[in-house]
Amino acid sequence: GALARGGDVPGAVAALREAVTLEPLQADALTNLGVLLAQAGDAGAAGRYLQRAVAADGRNANAHANLALFWVNQGRPQDA
C-alpha cells in the first residue's frame, strides 16, 4: 500500500495487522501482510499469513502466487 511505498514498512505492517484483526478472512490483506513481513525478514510470520490467505480464499491467484514465491525464496520449491 501507500505506507509501504512511502518507506513506512512498520506503519504498513501495523495497518495490515489491524485490518486482518478486523477482517480475518480478507485474503488480499493477509497476502500483503505476508509479503511485507517476508521483505522485512520475518519468514515465520510471513509464511503463516500467506498460508492463511490461501486458506481464506482458495481461488485468489495472487495469494497462491505469493505463497509459491515465498516457498521458492525459502529454498523449499517442493512446497510451492
Side-chain angles (χ1 to χ4, degrees):
L3 289 172
R5 282 191 301 274
D8 185 7
V9 173
V13 168
L16 285 166
R17 283 187 193 273
E18 183 176 342
V20 300
T21 298
L22 297 172
E23 296 282 341
L25 298 178
Q26 218 298 331
D28 291 331
L30 290 163
T31 299
N32 290 338
L33 180 53
V35 168
L36 277 179
L37 289 168
Q39 291 171 347
D42 190 348
R48 287 189 298 275
Y49 281 107
L50 291 167
Q51 288 173 322
R52 281 180 56 192
V54 169
D57 183 358
R59 291 192 226 165
N60 187 313
N62 188 45
H64 280 280
N66 278 287
L67 180 59
L69 182 60
F70 170 79
W71 287 129
V72 169
N73 287 337
Q74 293 300 306
R76 296 173 52 182
Q78 70 277 8
D79 292 325

